[in-house]
Amino acid sequence: MRNQQVVLQLMKSGDALTKERIVEHWIYFSTDKDRNCFMEQIKSDGFTIDEKNIRSDLKHPYQLKISRIDSVDPYKITTVTLALRKKAATCKGKYDGWETVLIKN
């Protein structure tokens, strides 16, 4: 559902979704150990670790922001986010969504 909302917003803003671009993803964990587990899981998937923060105001304070060049075509982005959700879950994490830049034709 969230993927569809972001994709629709991109389309409404004039993005044809045809060009690959940097896509950023946020994942949250209860412990640093769980976050490290996830980072090991995605090591060979081509993601860049952009930020590692601790947000003491959150239930899952160990924040991770990752990125990779991907397509935002609805099928492809859903495939990516589903894989990230599953990997986060195996490490007791919570996938929180993605964002990207608008590319107008």
Side-chain angles (χ1 to χ4, degrees), residues 45-79:
D45 294 339
F47 287 96
T48 300
I49 306 298
D50 297 321
E51 293 178 19
K52 288 173 50 177
N53 296 311
I54 299 175
R55 299 268 318 268
S56 59
D57 59 319
L58 300 175
K59 181 179 176 183
H60 297 91
Y62 291 86
Q63 179 188 48
L64 184 65
K65 180 176 129 183
I66 63 174
S67 64
R68 184 173 77 177
I69 295 175
D70 274 307
S71 171
V72 292
D73 166 88
Y75 174 78
K76 292 178 183 173
I77 195 66
T78 298
T79 301

Side-chain angles (χ1 to χ4, degrees), residues 8-97:
L8 284 174
Q9 186 59 46
L10 288 169
M11 290 172 62
K12 284 180 185 177
S13 298
D15 196 317
L17 312 177
T18 56
K19 295 183 180 176
E20 291 188 339
R21 79 277 313 267
I22 295 281
V23 180
E24 299 171 327
H25 305 268
W26 281 264
I27 307 95
Y28 293 85
F29 304 88
S30 296
T31 68
D32 191 40
K33 180 181 176 184
D34 294 338
R35 180 171 61 185
N36 288 335
C37 167
F38 179 80
M39 288 172 25
E40 278 297 314
Q41 293 266 339
I42 63 160
K43 207 178 231 183
S44 63
D45 294 339
F47 287 96
T48 300
I49 306 298
D50 297 321
E51 293 178 19
K52 288 173 50 177
N53 296 311
I54 299 175
R55 299 268 318 268
S56 59
D57 59 319
L58 300 175
K59 181 179 176 183
H60 297 91
Y62 291 86
Q63 179 188 48
L64 184 65
K65 180 176 129 183
I66 63 174
S67 64
R68 184 173 77 177
I69 295 175
D70 274 307
S71 171
V72 292
D73 166 88
Y75 174 78
K76 292 178 183 173
I77 195 66
T78 298
T79 301
V80 170
T81 59
L82 182 58
L84 290 174
R85 281 181 196 282
K86 287 180 179 179
K87 289 179 180 185
T90 64
C91 296
K92 303 175 192 165
K94 181 180 181 265
Y95 179 82
D96 194 46

